[in-house]
Amino acid sequence: MRSRLLLVFLVLVGLLAAGLGVPLALTDAQRSQEEVFTDRLTDTISFASAAQRPLIESPDGRAASTAFTAEITRYDEVYDVAVAVFDRSGALVVASRPPERLPELAGEPADRLRVALAGRRSETYPLLMPWDEQPIAIAEPVLVDGEVVGAVMTVSPTEALRAAELRTWSVIAGAALLALLAGTLVALPLTVWILRPVRRLDEAMGRVGTAVVAGGSPGPPIRRSGPPELRLLAGSFDRMTETVREALAAQRAFVADASHQLRNPLTALRLRLSNLDGHVERDAAEEHVAAMEEAERLSRVLDGLLALARAEKAAESSAGDAVTGLDAVVDDRLENWRPLAEHTGVELRRSGPRGLRARITPAGLETVLDAVLDNALKYTPPGRRVRVATLRIAGRVGVSVVDGGPGMPAEDRARATDRFWRAPGQSNVEGSGLGLAIAARTAAAAGGILALDPAPRQYGGLRVTLWLDPAPDQ
């Protein structure tokens, strides 16, 4: 983002330099060319006045013609500007240099000569660029008693003019480059000053999002610096963070309180339904069984809500630097779930390196493993295996559970950690839809993630991996 803002700033400075420099260069070139044109026009008019006698005098007036020739020759030697006099038919009468050294009278010079012999003056030249090599040709009619008797033409080379223009353009280009350099030197600290609070907001967004969802503290307020607008934005962000944290805390408290308060009435309802067993008429027996099943299902949902509330409360109050050895917790949970696995005909197998330690509380790790193992045993058919492995990859440690069930498509895996979500076609499987949600939130509270991926092809099913930050000494 810093490089993009710096690039935008430099582009603006470049456009400003071009917007000022190019018109300045063109104006200076136009002014220099007009000065040269005006100077040459004045000289050409003077020569047109002096050329009257050489054009109208008889052969006895050769002295006057010789004097005029000497004048234009000296002018040519001093200023390197060719001067030529033409009669009314366009034939050369006298010139400042031999005819073979005169510039070629073709194109623009020839057109200007025809205009002068028609009695009109030469028009101003359009702006000549430094790469235009054409000379400046100016032709003036020679008039005697209002009648055109010939024309005088001056042909000026433009090397000096173009060189001066090129020097001016180089100076302006150098000034533009200096402006860009100065703009860069100014833009670097300015960009840092503007973007530092934006970077802090971005970092705080990630930190606060994880902390608030996990039930933890959003951390200290953002240090307010930079432009006034960004300081106001930082204050608004702090207020929004506190509001969201309070709203989520109130929601968790309500879920916990409601679940706890509903347990006693639900327990009484189940007892009353159980007491009716054997006292219900045969026609209503099926409804009685359905009511018992719904009461059991509601009890499981409440148990899940309480477990979720306890997990979030534990995450909120637990220390962020808690470290747990994975081996003891993994072995303990496998021993606790092994009887159920043997009862359902599923084999539990453990693998992976030992001695790993991660940033999570023992209770948090137990919560995640219980939820994931419960889910794996539900969907693994008899005769298959559930594989539990400890992992250490690229600066992370974790525990993966691979079941032997049917697996999940990508769209179902994306929603599997939502509360109360059940996979389509699995409504006959017992559960409240809160197990993976509890596991995901417990993992987030510890700074980890719960990843759901397809199991390796030879195993099939679903692989659920808890990734955690390793202990400092790992």
Side-chain angles (χ1 to χ4, degrees):
M1 185 175 182
R2 179 187 302 179
S3 59
R4 290 197 296 269
L5 184 59
L6 180 61
L7 179 61
V8 170
F9 188 85
L10 293 180
V11 168
L12 292 177
V13 172
L15 290 176
L16 179 61
L20 295 176
V22 171
L24 178 62
L26 294 177
T27 300
D28 183 79
Q30 185 70 43
R31 180 188 58 80
S32 299
Q33 182 175 316
E34 287 178 355
E35 289 180 356
V36 172
F37 184 86
T38 302
D39 183 66
R40 296 296 181 269
L41 179 62
T42 302
D43 293 341
T44 305
I45 293 174
S46 176
F47 291 140
S49 176
Q52 292 178 353
R53 293 184 62 185
L55 287 174
I56 63 177
E57 285 186 349
S58 62
D60 296 337
R62 291 184 182 275
S65 176
T66 302
F68 177 76
T69 302
E71 179 183 358
I72 60 177
T73 301
R74 286 194 301 272
Y75 179 85
D76 191 355
E77 292 174 351
V78 173
Y79 297 106
D80 192 26
V81 177
V83 182
V85 180
F86 301 89
D87 62 14
R88 188 169 184 177
S89 64
L92 180 65
V93 175
V94 62
S96 62
R97 61 184 68 171
E100 61 273 11
R101 291 181 53 209
L102 286 174
E104 183 180 357
L105 297 180
E108 181 74 16
D111 293 339
R112 288 178 177 264
L113 178 60
R114 284 194 294 270
V115 170
L117 293 175
R120 299 193 302 274
R121 286 185 170 179
S122 297
E123 296 180 354
T124 304
Y125 264 83
L127 180 63
L128 299 177
M129 294 293 113
W131 52 86
D132 291 332
E133 298 181 354
Q134 60 175 321
I136 296 178
I138 301 175
E140 283 292 313
V142 178
L143 303 175
V144 176
D145 296 331
E147 182 180 358
V148 178
V149 296
V152 173
M153 173 176 285
T154 59
V155 182
S156 306
T158 57
E159 285 83 359
L161 177 63
R162 289 186 286 111
E165 288 183 4
L166 190 59
R167 286 193 298 271
T168 302
W169 286 37
S170 299
V171 170
I172 294 176
L177 290 177
L178 288 177
L180 281 176
L181 179 60
T184 302
L185 296 177
V186 172
L188 283 174
L190 183 62
T191 302
V192 172
W193 179 68
I194 292 175
L195 292 183
R196 184 181 291 117
V198 176
R199 187 178 64 255
R200 289 185 185 137
L201 279 173
D202 181 66
E203 294 172 353
M205 183 71 73
R207 182 185 71 249
V208 169
T210 302
V212 169
V213 171
S217 171
I222 301 174
R223 186 158 63 91
R224 302 180 187 181
S225 62
E229 294 79 5
L230 290 179
R231 292 200 293 268
L232 290 174
L233 179 61
S236 300
F237 180 81
D238 288 336
R239 292 190 295 272
M240 178 204 68
T241 299
E242 187 61 26
T243 300
V244 171
R245 189 191 67 81
E246 292 175 355
L248 287 176
Q251 178 190 15
R252 294 188 183 103
F254 171 77
V255 171
D257 293 343
S259 302
H260 188 270
Q261 293 297 325
L262 286 174
R263 285 186 63 82
N264 290 337
L266 179 60
T267 301
L269 178 60
R270 291 174 60 193
L271 287 174
R272 290 177 181 273
L273 288 173
S274 298
N275 291 336
L276 290 177
D277 192 17
H279 300 283
V280 178
E281 294 182 1
R282 183 175 301 176
D283 295 341
E286 186 176 347
E287 295 296 331
H288 176 255
V289 173
M292 288 289 295
E293 291 176 351
E294 290 299 320
E296 290 290 339
R297 179 177 177 275
L298 182 56
S299 179
R300 290 194 298 270
V301 170
L302 287 178
D303 289 340
L305 287 173
L306 284 173
L308 181 60
R310 284 194 296 269
E312 292 176 339
K313 186 64 177 178
E316 186 174 357
S317 59
S318 61
D321 56 353
V323 174
T324 300
L326 302 186
D327 293 336
V329 178
V330 171
D331 292 341
D332 178 70
R333 300 328 298 161
L334 286 178
E335 288 302 317
N336 277 271
W337 285 95
R338 198 174 302 280
L340 177 60
E342 293 175 351
H343 176 72
T344 56
V346 176
E347 179 185 356
L348 285 178
R349 175 173 293 187
R350 188 209 155 146
S351 62
R354 290 186 171 269
L356 300 181
R357 302 168 70 236
R359 291 184 177 274
I360 191 172
T361 62
L365 183 56
E366 290 177 1
T367 300
V368 175
L369 287 177
D370 284 343
V372 177
L373 286 171
D374 178 48
N375 196 70
L377 291 174
K378 284 178 183 176
Y379 292 100
T380 302
R384 304 294 294 274
R385 291 174 180 170
V386 172
R387 293 170 171 82
V388 180
T390 51
L391 309 168
R392 177 166 52 194
I393 300 175
R396 302 278 278 181
V397 298
V399 182
S400 71
V401 177
V402 179
D403 63 45
M408 279 188 183
E411 57 272 17
D412 288 350
R413 294 197 301 272
R415 298 192 55 196
T417 56
D418 294 345
R419 299 180 183 185
F420 300 108
W421 184 84
R422 303 291 300 276
Q426 301 295 334
S427 58
N428 60 329
V429 179
E430 291 186 359
S432 61
L434 288 171
L436 290 180
I438 293 172
R441 279 149 185 80
T442 304
I449 58 172
L450 191 74
L452 279 66
D453 305 291
R457 183 174 300 177
Q458 65 270 27
Y459 301 144
L462 178 70
R463 177 172 59 191
V464 182
T465 306
L466 170 64
W467 290 109
L468 298 165
D469 291 328
D473 56 353
Q474 289 284 301

